[in-house]
Amino acid sequence: MVHALRDAAEVLAPAGILIDVRPLSATFPIDAVAGPLEMRAGEADASAMAGDDVAADRAAQEAADRGWLVPWRRAQFDIHYYWDTPDEMTECLRSGRRPKAVRPSLDRIAAAQRDVSARASRAARLRCTRRMQLGAYAKAGPA
Amino acid sequence: MSTEIDPEGRETEALLAVADFGGARVLEVGCGSGRLMRRYAPPARFVAGLDPGFEEVATARRERPERRGCRLMHVQARAEALPFGPRTFDLVIFGWSL
């Protein structure tokens, strides 16, 4: 990671900006949603990736310590994922660098989805909410 | 698989708020299939997306929109060996890839 940041700083023009944006590794909620109706259906556990967060943060700090980049701005925000079925959700959450465990069970999540659909008189979707971290760094040196 | 990621555009909004993309030369390191770069590209001069995965780059090229204005390019390469000269880009983005 540090080498990638070093090379990225090299290809940045003077006064250029490097942005690191990624989801944070934490447990995140899964809701069944249909219009204004929402119901908590379960949660997914991404904490197995916590070591990746630490490594990435350390790499960025090392890039700053070595004088390649200057920390400039930091922000957090939430994004949503949407699926039509529990199977689609499961396939998505099990892909990627680290599969994420889903709780309590697909059956109970599906039941929550059916419940919201019935109350809303329309098909409910499953939605998860991921907390994102954004760090922006300025290229060190004269502009 | 049908997954809709951030249809509200919050990630794009956050990126556009933190830096000036207008007329910028942008590199995204680890661009995958190009989902994110297609969203923030419109105000930029050009966006180069780099990924080590052959399938990801092929998908990104297939799904590249036909448009005038901002130019998108996709390169299969590793982040530790960027195939670009010094001082080429105004913005470098590590999108879910650091």
Side-chain angles (χ1 to χ4, degrees):
Chain A
M1 287 183 203
V2 173
H3 294 138
L5 289 172
R6 180 197 60 200
D7 287 0
E10 282 285 319
V11 302
L12 266 177
I17 300 293
L18 184 146
I19 300 172
D20 163 32
V21 61
R22 52 188 148 94
L24 293 175
S25 302
T27 300
F28 52 90
I30 297 169
D31 300 305
V33 299
L37 278 180
E38 300 184 2
M39 184 167 83
R40 182 60 43 88
E43 60 185 20
D45 184 359
S47 60
M49 295 177 63
D52 294 351
D53 285 356
V54 171
D57 288 344
R58 281 186 179 156
Q61 184 59 52
E62 184 171 347
D65 292 343
R66 287 175 178 264
W68 305 329
L69 299 168
V70 178
W72 185 48
R73 290 186 187 172
R74 210 161 178 82
Q76 289 193 355
F77 56 95
D78 292 336
I79 67 168
H80 297 314
Y81 285 56
Y82 293 87
W83 302 275
D84 292 330
T85 69
D87 285 345
E88 289 175 350
M89 178 193 74
T90 303
E91 184 180 351
C92 178
L93 294 179
R94 287 182 179 167
S95 64
R97 282 192 279 190
R98 306 260 195 276
K100 300 155 192 73
V102 175
R103 296 187 287 257
S105 68
L106 282 189
D107 284 346
R108 287 182 59 181
I109 290 172
Q113 186 182 18
R114 287 193 299 271
D115 184 4
V116 173
S117 295
R119 287 193 285 132
S121 299
R122 57 187 275 190
R125 305 187 78 188
L126 294 172
R127 179 190 72 193
C128 80
T129 302
R130 298 295 306 270
R131 176 52 58 103
M132 303 290 290
Q133 174 176 288
L134 184 153
Y137 305 83
K139 175 167 177 148
Chain B
M1 177 174 71
S2 173
T3 300
E4 199 174 4
I5 302 175
D6 189 28
E8 296 91 349
R10 291 177 183 169
E11 188 173 24
T12 308
E13 185 181 307
L15 287 169
L16 296 176
V18 81
D20 184 5
F21 280 69
R25 304 162 296 171
V26 185
L27 169 65
E28 183 173 332
V29 179
C31 67
S33 62
R35 174 193 66 86
L36 186 58
M37 62 189 277
R38 286 192 294 274
R39 292 188 170 190
Y40 62 69
R45 189 194 315 177
F46 71 79
V47 182
L50 180 145
D51 199 274
F54 174 81
E55 289 295 334
E56 286 79 2
V57 172
T59 300
R61 287 174 178 163
R62 229 177 13 249
E63 297 186 359
R64 182 169 51 204
E66 296 290 331
R67 64 153 58 100
R68 294 180 183 167
C70 174
R71 186 174 153 223
L72 301 179
M73 59 181 285
H74 301 95
V75 177
Q76 185 182 1
R78 295 183 58 81
E80 294 83 2
L82 297 179
F84 305 105
R87 300 181 295 279
T88 302
F89 298 98
D90 304 301
L91 300 171
V92 174
I93 298 172
F94 283 78
W96 303 46
S97 59
L98 192 60

